[in-house]
Amino acid sequence: MSEITSSNGHPPTDPHHDSRSTQELGEPIPNPGLPEHQPRPSDVDPAMERRAERQVAGMFVAATVLALAFCVCYFTIDPQATVFGYGAMNLALGTTLGLALLLIGLGANHWARKLMADHEIIEYRHSAASSPEDREAAITAFKTGAAESGFGRRTLVRNTLLGALGVLGLPAVVLLRDLGPLPGDSLDHTVWRKGVRIVNDVAGTPLRPADIELGQLVNAEPALFFPQQGPNGKVIPARYDGTALNDEKAKAAVILVRMLPEDIHPIKSQASWGYDGILCYSKICTHVGCPISLWEQQTHHLLCPCHQSTFDLAHSGRVIFGPAARSLPQLNIGLDSEGYLIALHDFYVPVGPSFWERG
Amino acid sequence: MSTAANSKGDGAVKWLDERVGLAGLAKKQLRKVFPDHWSFLLGEIALWSFVILLLTGVFLSLWFKPSMTEVQYVGSYSNLRGIKMSEAYASTLNISFDVRGGLLMRQMHHWAANLFLAAMSIHMLRIFFTGAFRKPREINWLIGLSLLMLGILEGFAGYSLPDDLLSGTGLRIADGIIRSIPVVGTYAEFFIFGGQFPGDIFIPRLYTVHVLLIPGLLLGLISAHMLLLVYQKHTQWPGPGRTNDNVVGFPLLPVYMAKAGGFFFIVFGVTALMGALMQINPIWMYGPYDPGEVTAGSQPDWYMGWLEGGLRIMPNWESHLWGFTISWNVMIPGLALMGILFTALGAYPFIERWITGDNAEHHLLDRPRNQPTRTGLGVAGITAYGLLWIAGGNDVIATHFDLSLNSITWFMRFAIFIGPVIAFTVARRWAISLQHHDRELLLHGYETGVIVRSPDGGYSELHAPLSPEHAYLLSTQPRSVPLQLPPGEDSNGIPAPLHRKERLRIRLSQFWYADDVQKPTADELEAAHHHHDDDGPMIEDGHHVGIETGGQVGGDDFDLEETPAQN
Amino acid sequence: MKFLSARRRHPLAGLVVLLLALVVMGGLYSAFRPAAADQSGSDTALISQGRRLFVVSCATCHGLNGEGILTKQNTNFGPPLVGVGAAAVDFQVGTGRMPMAQPGPQAQARTPIFDPGEVRALAAYVASLGPGPAIPTDAQYSTSGLTAEQIAQGGEFFRTNCTACHNFAGKGGALPNGKYAPTLIGVNPKYVIEAMITGPQQMPKFSNGVIKPQEKREIIAYLQQLKSQPGYGGSKLGSLGPVTEGLWGWVLGIGVLVLATVWISNNGARVTKKKSQ
């Protein structure tokens, strides 16, 4: 209660706690003390005791057998085999190991419950705090040491040491600089640019408007991610591969959808970004970046499976439900000379989740 | 035992003691007493799960390759053969299909992780509701919270390592959350991922965090947790012979050695059986991570589910100020929620102590009913957590209970504020009514179910006094004494100058104990036992007739002449 | 006729006439009954049989000539069926989604009320309204001859185009406002192909121009692999991902272990049980 008085010197009325208040008002029921120990059947009946002994030993024997069975299964079962529609190896190894362990555990506890002495013991507690003398002595020792070091007196030495230690933090921080490059403007751009063909994901085939039917959804990527047929019949290898491919795909993945041109109600600035009812949107959710492609072809709504942000693709990708704040970025598309769908420009806004300097 | 064996053992003890001198410690600790109660073993589930995690984790690390280098899969799972994937994913497939017992170890590792966090959570709830965090155990409470927080991070790191579609989606969300940090978000993102997401260095980094950094911290903190437990001795339930100054139970050697050691094998065995029978995280079905793919039902493991729920039900608030963006919709659930929970939990013991002014050492546990406000707060917290949890699975709930996704989200947006308030009120009143019940039991005994007809035609139920043990159990809690405002003015007529903080504290204290039912005083009890006219007949004190166990109720035991007619 | 006219006032005459009329009507009905259509009939016969069925069962919502009916809000009461093709009819009616039992967020699959012959007639009629995709042939969804690599590639198509709605194991998932993507496990591959090419209800189309017929067969083959795949690690727990795993972890894992704690800390039978509280 010392902290109450120390807070402002005017203690609220002393709160009575625990033993004191109890003593004043009287403990209604006296502590009856530890109940008398009562023996177990196995303590008084030798037959029961032997039975318990046999049970415990039986469990340990069974565990031994199961552990050996585990080894047998390991070497004899075909890793590809199945049983009851389950992988046979996993099932056999897991059940033998699991039951062996379980039996050891049950046996040990059965032993403790039935056979080990079970008299309750009383142990007394002691306050965690040291004796006042010890505390005093400790403080004195500390003060003596501190005084002998001159830490408080030699301020020049002390302050320069503290300064040096403080500045030592800088190398530790600076060393981490090469954890990664600075973002620069890499979040603002994708690999889309004028003339890049929009191709079907996985297969990498370029798309003509005629391939895309009303109500169609195409999970698409820039052609740079796939080997492409060149004009002279040569195969142009994919521009991106491995890590670079994943990094760019994480920004450049798109979906193409087709709806009736009269169903489309774009904002003015994006009115001409489609081609004959075909619209192209970023596949990366503006909430936290899940790829979204749950397109409802009748309502024209696009749902994110992660957090259920819903975008209306007939209205320039505006948010109509869920935690996303920004419209889905739309890609301005057109046709190239061979009649394939291409991008006419990179996205005009950064794709994916918002960030501080995005504005 | 032969003398030869004895002297041989003595020799070994002597050899060791002459070098490390542990006999002094062992003398005390080998027979250390632990009290017995099922709820004291919940933390042990967590401890043993951690040991299982270490064992299975070491096994997995012998084959797992923490690398994002792209390879073409050539292993024995034909549905992915020829597909390009990271080495991390390919090696996880290898562990699952080409290392015998590898799938079992993987599944045990994952189940043990789920159990580790679940056990820590219920262990923490047990500590909370019984007041075991009170002086002198506040430090251990904080260590426990750190363990829980590190456990969550460790679990998420493990979930992310195989680089399958689900873990990649999780990382993508983590990336979006990091990016939302004001001012330094994108820098933090680029430093953590070594460039743009996903890059090629994150999984190796995460691996070090998962197998070295966090397990090391966990190990150290668990050791501290256990040492403090041993030093401070375990709390115990109040009861006959059990006081604040002792601990009653069984000795470490042999009983707890067998019980706890045996429990390790039980936890291990249950985990192995789960690994054998219940498929978890079938990464081969998810496929390798591809930034252009996603699956319906993309969810984190259960312990992140509440944060996922927060992300789902958060309204789409985003501010644009002076050319900068603040994504409240991501920051609040993604970053603030975790901070709020752990700050609240960490501060709780100190706030409660400040409000109640209780500075005593407590080694006896509270029955939750005797702390109605704390119990109410705990239930409110569980409710909020549970609602967020449900929101995190709203798609699965929508399809399985024929509900609309949007309706669930809207419901949760309000329920998350209203639900905990209702839960607090109900739980607190419930606890108080249980206190009433206890007091009634003490004063008037228990209802025997025997109906007595009095000479003048009234019926009443016979009450019998409690056994001394039971009665004692119901009267062990301290009386609650809220802080009071000091008398209005001092001797000079000047009102006591109380700081605003002190006034708040007094008001909170009065709220804290409002409607608390005090146990009867000795006088009240005496009075009740001599004048139980109001409550019908009572079997006389001192006669413990085994009514429930089928004993005879002798007519001599009833105070028939005191039976009133009840109208 | 004397025999008849002499007995026309017989008390039972009315009953006989009634029975006769019923027999005639029954005979006529069975002659014209849609289901009894001779399956080998010409296209025109099939189409006209389809039209009769259409007028009875479909026209209320889709219009007498399949032109569609609009609501007052200018939304589709029943969408126009001109050009949807036989495949759409085969899918919608063959899976029992149409005729719709009651309005709702979406038509649900149930036991079809038309038999296969009637479905064919309806499909033929709707196909005659305008050109559209035909009912796929066996060859289009047969998975024979596909190599393991092709099936694996089918998995890539599946994960890119299908899992977002239908889940990684084809178990289905939630869509906005009570709609859902149904399970694909156990669905006749013909209907899977038809769904891809016709885009039933909210499902977008995946035309043959974009996902080639060969690639569709690969997807079908991968789906069949998913269906027949054993639970390598035990029960699949519904293949719904971490939600059900967490649920079972709590219920079974923690449940069993808490029972174990109760057993361990309970001290068991005593010789003289003291009177309980």
Side-chain angles (χ1 to χ4, degrees), chain C residues 169-192:
Chain C
K171 290 284 181 175
L175 294 176
N177 298 313
K179 288 164 282 191
Y180 62 91
T183 178
L184 302 177
I185 299 303
V187 175
N188 184 338
K190 178 177 74 163
Y191 294 135
V192 177

Side-chain angles (χ1 to χ4, degrees), chain A residues 121 123 125 249 283 323 357 359, chain B residues 186 233-234 247 249 290 292 325:
Chain A
I121 295 180
E123 195 173 281
R125 293 180 190 276
K249 202 175 189 183
K283 197 180 182 178
E357 57 271 42
Chain B
T186 51
K233 298 194 173 78
H234 206 285
V247 51
D290 178 321
T325 301

Side-chain angles (χ1 to χ4, degrees), chain A residues 13 25 27 31 90 120-121 123 125 127 179 247 249-251 283 306 308 323-324 326 354 356-357 359, chain B residues 172 186 196 199 205 233-234 241-242 245 247 249 275 290 292 312 316 318 323 325 329 361 394 479 519:
Chain A
T13 46
L25 292 168
E27 198 61 69
N31 190 335
N90 189 68
E120 283 192 309
I121 295 180
E123 195 173 281
R125 293 180 190 276
S127 174
L179 272 176
D247 287 356
K249 202 175 189 183
K251 292 187 295 180
K283 197 180 182 178
C306 290
Q308 285 107 36
R326 296 191 190 253
S354 290
W356 173 255
E357 57 271 42
Chain B
R172 177 101 217 209
T186 51
Q196 295 189 63
R205 284 179 182 172
K233 298 194 173 78
H234 206 285
R242 287 146 215 265
D245 304 317
V247 51
D290 178 321
R312 289 180 183 207
N316 64 341
E318 187 175 287
T325 301
N329 54 344
E361 273 193 29
N394 61 359
R479 293 172 203 286
K519 64 183 175 191

Side-chain angles (χ1 to χ4, degrees), chain A residues 1 3-4 7-8 10 12-13 15-18 21 25-35 74-75 79-80 89-91 93-95 97-99 101-102 104-106 108-109 112 116-128 177 179-183 186-187 241-243 246-251 253 283-284 287-291 303 305-308 319 321-326 351-359, chain B residues 32-33 70 100-101 103-104 107 137 169 172-173 179 182-183 186-187 190-191 194-200 205 231-235 240-251 254-255 258-259 262-263 265-266 268-269 272-273 275-277 290-294 308 311-312 314 316 318 320 323-327 329-330 356 359-363 394 405-406 409-410 471-472 475 478-479 481 483-484 502 505 519-522 525:
Chain A
M1 263 142 279
E3 32 132 26
I4 301 177
S7 59
N8 60 4
H10 290 268
T13 46
H16 301 288
H17 276 294
D18 295 320
S21 64
L25 292 168
E27 198 61 69
I29 313 278
N31 190 335
L34 209 54
Y74 184 93
F75 288 109
Q80 313 299 327
M89 179 70 102
N90 189 68
L91 192 66
L93 295 185
T95 43
L97 178 65
L99 290 174
L101 291 164
L102 202 56
I104 292 175
L106 295 176
N109 270 290
M116 287 181 187
D118 74 331
H119 285 269
E120 283 192 309
I121 295 180
I122 299 178
E123 195 173 281
Y124 289 94
R125 293 180 190 276
H126 311 283
S127 174
R177 167 61 190 86
L179 272 176
L182 296 183
S186 54
L187 292 176
D241 201 16
T243 305
N246 275 346
D247 287 356
E248 294 307 330
K249 202 175 189 183
K251 292 187 295 180
K283 197 180 182 178
I284 311 303
H287 178 222
V288 282
C290 285
L303 173 79
C306 290
H307 307 102
Q308 285 107 36
V319 179
F321 185 77
R326 296 191 190 253
V351 299
S354 290
F355 46 94
W356 173 255
E357 57 271 42
R358 190 184 183 280
Chain B
K32 190 163 188 68
V33 168
E70 196 173 80
R100 280 176 282 181
L103 180 57
L104 179 67
Q107 300 205 121
R137 294 184 175 76
T169 305
R172 177 101 217 209
I173 294 167
R179 196 186 275 192
V183 188
T186 51
Y187 286 70
F190 272 62
F191 283 3
Q196 295 189 63
F197 176 86
D200 62 358
R205 284 179 182 172
Y231 178 67
Q232 293 173 336
K233 298 194 173 78
H234 206 285
T235 50
R242 287 146 215 265
T243 68
N244 208 31
D245 304 317
N246 70 9
V247 51
V248 181
F250 297 108
V255 176
K259 282 192 175 189
F263 194 38
F265 285 98
I266 291 177
F268 208 164
L273 286 176
L277 302 171
D290 178 321
E293 292 174 4
V294 72
E308 172 82 1
L311 276 170
R312 289 180 183 207
M314 182 71 197
N316 64 341
E318 187 175 287
H320 307 268
F324 295 109
T325 301
I326 306 169
S327 298
N329 54 344
V330 182
T356 59
N359 201 27
E361 273 193 29
H362 291 281
H363 301 290
N394 61 359
L405 208 56
N406 307 48
T409 303
W410 273 111
Y472 177 67
S475 67
R479 293 172 203 286
V481 185
L483 304 180
Q484 299 292 337
E502 278 308 317
R505 178 181 177 190
K519 64 183 175 191
T521 61
L525 202 62

Side-chain angles (χ1 to χ4, degrees), chain B residues 250-551:
Chain B
F250 297 108
L252 176 67
L253 191 75
V255 176
Y256 263 91
M257 219 60 127
K259 282 192 175 189
F263 194 38
F264 165 64
F265 285 98
I266 291 177
V267 176
F268 208 164
V270 168
T271 312
L273 286 176
M274 290 173 84
L277 302 171
M278 292 151 73
Q279 183 165 291
I280 188 165
N281 200 26
I283 51 134
W284 57 91
M285 290 178 100
Y286 300 141
Y289 180 59
D290 178 321
E293 292 174 4
V294 72
T295 172
S298 287
Q299 257 108 358
D301 273 342
W302 75 261
Y303 41 86
M304 298 287 272
W306 67 291
L307 293 173
E308 172 82 1
L311 276 170
R312 289 180 183 207
I313 65 171
M314 182 71 197
N316 64 341
W317 298 337
E318 187 175 287
S319 302
H320 307 268
L321 300 170
W322 307 289
F324 295 109
T325 301
I326 306 169
S327 298
W328 306 107
N329 54 344
V330 182
M331 263 166 62
I332 290 178
L335 297 166
L337 221 47
M338 188 97 147
I340 290 168
L341 178 78
F342 279 94
T343 310
L345 285 174
Y348 183 81
F350 306 98
I351 294 173
E352 187 186 298
R353 199 170 68 129
W354 181 69
I355 292 174
T356 59
D358 181 355
N359 201 27
E361 273 193 29
H362 291 281
H363 301 290
L364 285 178
L365 299 173
D366 280 326
R367 300 170 80 210
R369 67 184 60 177
N370 289 328
Q371 288 287 349
T373 306
R374 182 203 293 155
T375 303
L377 287 173
V379 174
I382 292 175
T383 307
Y385 188 96
L387 286 169
L388 285 172
W389 218 10
I390 291 171
N394 61 359
D395 49 346
V396 175
I397 288 163
T399 49
H400 284 74
F401 297 97
D402 275 340
L403 294 168
S404 156
L405 208 56
N406 307 48
S407 315
I408 298 175
T409 303
W410 273 111
F411 174 79
M412 288 299 171
R413 282 176 178 175
F414 292 100
I416 193 63
F417 295 106
I418 300 166
V421 177
I422 296 173
F424 172 81
T425 316
V426 169
R428 185 161 177 255
R429 297 316 308 188
W430 196 328
I432 289 170
S433 74
L434 285 171
Q435 285 187 327
H436 272 292
H437 179 69
D438 282 357
R439 190 181 154 95
E440 289 298 303
L441 275 179
L442 269 181
L443 287 178
H444 307 301
Y446 66 92
E447 295 167 351
T448 59
V450 178
I451 306 294
V452 176
R453 182 169 182 244
S454 68
D456 44 354
Y459 289 92
S460 53
E461 189 177 1
L462 213 53
H463 286 236
L466 306 173
S467 69
E469 290 82 13
H470 190 192
Y472 177 67
L473 183 66
L474 297 188
S475 67
T476 47
Q477 75 273 20
R479 293 172 203 286
S480 51
V481 185
L483 304 180
Q484 299 292 337
L485 282 170
E489 39 194 53
D490 63 13
S491 51
N492 297 326
I494 299 165
L498 262 192
H499 200 269
R500 280 228 325 263
K501 220 169 91 185
E502 278 308 317
R503 280 185 191 283
L504 172 71
R505 178 181 177 190
I506 289 163
R507 218 168 290 138
L508 281 174
S509 169
Q510 287 174 351
F511 169 76
W512 194 268
Y513 290 120
D515 303 331
D516 247 18
V517 180
Q518 304 296 327
K519 64 183 175 191
T521 61
D523 294 345
E524 284 171 328
L525 202 62
E526 189 74 1
H529 284 196
H530 283 97
H531 304 281
H532 38 253
D533 301 4
D534 304 342
D535 297 281
M538 184 148 172
I539 298 173
E540 271 179 19
D541 253 0
H543 291 261
H544 300 299
V545 191
I547 289 171
E548 331 91 298
T549 50

